[in-house]
């Protein structure tokens, strides 16, 4: 059987002259996503991307599941390709959809014809196929309004395709088409979700994790790498930069007023993120911050935190309820890992009375005793880049 997957492109179809670029990027992303699942011919014609296996042995169920995680695809259908004749289309429908045709009670045939030289109109072809199927499967009643089964026929330039309808794809824009951004990845629930959401809008991610060994353990680091591995299913290959953060935290504890610990620490995170972003050509910094969730996530605290970096700080979770964030974490498969017990550097040295309405000048005064430049340089020169195994 000539089994093939048709992917309908989402918003990128609207992108005018950039469309070709978006399509090429999507095709490259699909190629990378499928590289361990077999050999494929991947090409686009008329706003549809075709994924055709070149080997018999590949597991098309697995391929289909993988493609459901690729951003830029609005819907996917598994289809059979056949010659462009009414008879071949009918035979293909009968054999490829035999299970569906035998079990459904009502059906209709829907034809789309982009090859206008095809000798029959869409309506005539639907009528022909519908009539023949009705005869061959007496269990079926034609129903034009609410059929249980829709037999889709697509007559395109090189081939005809038969399928039983599509399922929803991951949506969004192909990863890489919006540029790159650093994403601050902790081991919590929020930051894997914020990373996923911005990758969905076409950003290629550079994950950064601040690691405070021995205050946070090797296990906490492993957990972050596991989360990044899950994110790779959607975001493409990731390399995680692990930033040594212990010395900075110890310096803050030794030299700054306790009430400002968290804010000063977060300002270091932003300064380092900004530098790493510049090194990797990133144009933004993503965090999992959420208004009012903790003391460091008030408007005043966020203003103080971002005052030391010039790149836009993207906070896709800012207006969401925890329940909604958890819903996405479950859907994308990060929740189970995120709730494993762990320590984060934010929970080490937490002040008893954190400032919820800090003023920038007070925070600047509080951190004045630190050699900020030197600490930032030291952390950056100690970065360990971890390349994750492909799935
Ligand atoms: P999360 O569930 O993502 O840990 P949170 O609600 O616990 O978020 P905070 O700990 O205040 O919030 O951190 C806010 C954001 O700062 C996180 O969402 C993440 O983007 C970033 N962040 C916090 N700790 C780290 C870390 N150790 N390494 C990298 N980024 C971090
Ligand atoms: Mg956290």
């Amino acid at each position: 059987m000539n089994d093939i997957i048709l992917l309908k492109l989402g918003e990128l179809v609207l992108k005018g002259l950039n469309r070709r670029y978006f399509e090429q990027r999507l095709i490259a992303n699909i190629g990378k996503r499928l590289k361990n699942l077999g050999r494929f011919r991947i090409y686009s014609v008329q706003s549809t991307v075709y994924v055709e296996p070149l080997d018999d042995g590949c597991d098309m169920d697995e391929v289909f599941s993988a493609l459901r995680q690729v951003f830029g695809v609005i819907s996917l259908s598994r289809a059979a390709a056949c010659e462009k004749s009414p008879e071949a289309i009918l035979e293909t429908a009968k054999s490829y959809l035999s299970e569906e045709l035998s079990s459904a009670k009502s059906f209709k045939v829907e034809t789309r014809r982009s090859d206008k030289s095809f000798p029959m109109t869409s309506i005539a072809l639907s009528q022909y196929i519908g009539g023949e199927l009705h005869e061959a499967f007496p269990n079926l009643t034609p129903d034009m309004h609410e059929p249980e089964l829709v037999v889709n026929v697509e007559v395109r330039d090189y081939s005809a395709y038969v399928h039983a309808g599509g399922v929803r794809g991951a949506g969004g824009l192909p990863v890489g088409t919006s540029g790159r951004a650093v994403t601050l990845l902790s081991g919590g629930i929020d930051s894997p979700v914020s990373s996923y959401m911005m990758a969905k809008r076409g950003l290629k991610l550079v994950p950064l994790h601040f690691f405070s060994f021995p205050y946070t353990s090797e296990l906490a680091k492993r957990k972050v790498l596991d989360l990044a591995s899950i994110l790779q299913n959607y975001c493409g290959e990731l390399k995680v930069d692990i930033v040594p953060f212990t010395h900075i935290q110890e310096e803050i504890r030794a030299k700054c007023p306790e009430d400002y610990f968290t804010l000063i620490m977060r300002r270091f995170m932003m300064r380092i993120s900004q530098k790493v972003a510049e090194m990797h050509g990133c144009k933004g910094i993503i965090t999992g911050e959420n208004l009012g969730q903790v003391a460091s996530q008030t408007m005043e605290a966020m203003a103080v935190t971002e005052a030391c970096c010039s790149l836009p700080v993207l906070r896709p979770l800012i207006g969401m309820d925890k329940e909604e964030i958890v819903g996405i974490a479950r859907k994308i498969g990060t929740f189970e890992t995120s709730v494993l017990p762990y320590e984060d550097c934010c929970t080490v040295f937490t002040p008893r009375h954190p400032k919820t309405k800090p003023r920038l000048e007070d925070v600047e005064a509080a951190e004045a005793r630190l050699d900020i430049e030197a600490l930032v340089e030291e952390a950056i020169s100690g970065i360990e880049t971890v390349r994750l195994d492909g799935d």
Side-chain angles (χ1 to χ4, degrees):
M1 182 59 67
N2 210 349
D3 207 346
I4 181 170
I5 297 173
L6 307 184
L7 310 174
K8 302 276 156 149
L9 310 188
E11 290 172 50
L12 60 148
V13 188
L14 304 174
K15 301 286 177 185
L17 291 175
N18 285 335
R19 192 175 111 184
R20 196 74 207 139
Y21 163 72
F22 277 71
E23 282 184 2
Q24 289 309 327
R25 183 58 80 123
L26 177 63
I27 288 173
N29 292 351
I30 291 171
K32 284 188 201 145
R33 185 68 182 82
L34 299 183
K35 78 172 192 291
N36 296 329
L37 300 180
R39 291 187 314 126
F40 303 88
R41 196 158 86 87
I42 306 163
Y43 55 97
S44 74
V45 186
Q46 296 157 334
S47 304
T48 300
V49 169
Y50 296 76
V51 177
E52 222 179 285
L54 294 173
D55 309 313
D56 278 344
C58 81
D59 179 344
M60 288 301 274
D61 288 339
E62 203 179 347
V63 171
F64 196 75
S65 306
L67 292 174
R68 288 197 74 180
Q69 299 175 321
V70 175
F71 293 131
V73 174
I74 201 159
S75 78
L76 308 80
S77 333
R78 267 178 89 163
C82 65
E83 187 197 313
K84 292 198 305 185
S85 74
E87 296 75 21
I89 294 170
L90 174 63
E91 283 317 308
T92 306
K94 279 183 180 168
S95 56
Y96 187 67
L97 301 179
S98 67
E99 253 176 58
E100 290 88 341
L101 288 163
S102 314
S103 62
K105 293 197 174 55
S106 59
F107 86 120
K108 78 169 173 182
V109 179
E110 223 167 70
T111 302
R112 275 171 295 269
R113 198 182 53 125
S114 56
D115 171 13
K116 301 298 176 199
S117 68
F118 189 74
M120 281 166 106
T121 64
S122 300
I123 293 174
L125 185 58
S126 293
Q127 280 171 346
Y128 165 72
I129 306 278
E132 295 289 327
L133 290 178
H134 187 31
E135 217 161 275
F137 296 87
N139 53 303
L140 290 176
T141 316
D143 181 345
M144 296 305 120
H145 304 293
E146 284 186 9
E148 196 182 325
L149 172 68
V150 179
V151 175
N152 290 274
V153 176
E154 304 197 16
V155 183
R156 295 186 174 249
D157 286 351
Y158 302 108
S159 225
Y161 302 93
V162 176
H163 62 89
V167 299
R168 266 175 85 142
L173 302 171
V175 165
T177 55
S178 299
R180 293 165 160 261
V182 161
T183 188
L184 274 65
L185 195 59
S186 70
I189 294 172
D190 301 333
S191 50
V193 174
S194 53
S195 303
Y196 164 89
M197 285 176 71
M198 295 321 299
K200 185 173 180 183
R201 294 313 301 166
L203 284 174
K204 178 81 191 152
L205 304 181
V206 175
L208 208 59
H209 177 67
F210 296 92
F211 185 49
S212 300
F213 192 77
Y215 302 103
T216 63
S217 64
E218 278 297 326
L219 243 87
K221 178 161 110 185
R222 182 69 251 165
K223 183 183 177 188
V224 171
L225 298 177
D226 288 346
L227 287 168
S229 294
I230 299 170
L231 288 172
Q232 285 195 123
N233 293 330
Y234 308 91
C235 309
E237 271 176 24
L238 298 175
K239 281 183 268 176
V240 184
D241 278 348
I242 308 283
V243 186
F245 209 47
T246 316
H247 189 207
I248 289 177
Q249 289 196 292
E250 288 175 342
E251 279 287 293
I252 299 172
R253 185 176 55 172
K255 299 185 178 158
C256 304
E258 182 187 319
D259 294 359
Y260 291 104
F261 279 4
T262 309
L263 280 168
I264 295 173
M265 183 193 75
R266 295 198 61 77
R267 281 164 60 81
F268 271 98
M269 286 186 178
M270 300 317 279
R271 290 187 187 101
I272 294 166
S273 303
Q274 167 96 24
K275 292 245 165 159
V276 172
E278 286 163 5
M279 280 153 49
H280 291 284
C282 295
K283 303 286 186 251
I285 299 168
I286 304 163
T287 79
E289 287 165 304
N290 175 247
L291 189 61
Q293 195 183 81
V294 288
S296 60
Q297 295 174 21
T298 62
M299 296 284 274
E300 291 83 352
M302 286 188 288
V304 164
T305 319
E306 70 181 22
C308 57
C309 65
S310 57
L311 286 174
V313 180
L314 307 175
R315 302 178 172 98
L317 311 188
I318 198 71
M320 291 170 76
D321 288 346
K322 194 75 189 180
E323 212 183 306
E324 297 171 83
I325 300 170
V326 165
I328 299 176
R330 284 189 193 282
K331 189 183 85 177
I332 66 176
T334 52
F335 183 76
E336 300 300 330
T337 305
S338 288
V339 293
L340 295 172
Y342 87 113
E343 338 73 42
D344 182 40
C345 65
C346 291
T347 51
V348 183
F349 314 139
T350 310
R352 276 159 295 180
H353 307 290
K355 291 273 182 222
T356 54
K357 294 195 172 173
R359 295 188 324 161
L360 185 57
E361 54 271 36
D362 296 339
V363 181
E364 284 172 345
E367 67 192 11
R369 294 184 57 209
L370 301 173
D371 187 346
I372 293 173
E373 286 278 297
L375 286 168
V376 168
E377 282 314 315
E378 180 192 321
I380 287 178
S381 63
I383 287 178
E384 174 204 1
T385 301
V386 182
R387 184 188 281 276
L388 303 164
D389 303 332
D391 67 325

